[in-house]
Amino acid sequence: MTTRQNTDYGYDIQKVYLEMFMTDAASFVRCQGVFDPDAFDRRLAPVAEFLNNYVTEHNALPTFDMVNAATQVNLKDPGQLQE
């Protein structure tokens, strides 16, 4: 059985990535050097920019409530994720 990598990086997948980043600070920090808010769907770019700016300024992840209030996007905590 071969594993196929997801190559569809549409709105829904990008939203999931942002939700995952918000639950794992270590992953976000590892990716922050190449994290480009402009690479996200135009509807999610403000979320990515807010997240990146907040982490840069405060050295901590914002809460989902903070991001949702600031960007009017409904991100949800994906719960406990397995590696």
Side-chain angles (χ1 to χ4, degrees):
M1 181 174 163
T2 60
T3 303
R4 199 178 111 217
Q5 184 174 346
N6 183 6
T7 55
D8 173 20
Y9 298 108
Y11 177 85
D12 292 329
I13 295 294
Q14 291 178 31
K15 187 175 176 187
V16 168
Y17 284 148
L18 286 170
E19 291 168 339
M20 289 177 5
F21 277 136
M22 289 190 56
T23 60
D24 186 6
S27 292
F28 184 78
V29 169
R30 273 181 272 177
C31 297
Q32 197 172 12
V34 295
F35 189 82
D36 181 8
D38 293 329
F40 283 83
D41 183 282
R42 63 182 168 79
R43 296 169 288 178
L44 293 172
V47 178
E49 185 172 354
F50 179 86
L51 177 61
N52 194 42
N53 290 343
Y54 189 92
V55 170
T56 300
E57 193 171 315
H58 301 283
N59 290 323
L61 287 172
T63 65
F64 282 91
D65 289 338
M66 292 166 68
V67 172
N68 291 337
T71 62
Q72 288 76 46
V73 172
N74 188 23
L75 296 183
K76 297 177 183 166
D77 187 339
Q80 296 296 324
L81 299 173
Q82 300 298 320
E83 285 188 32

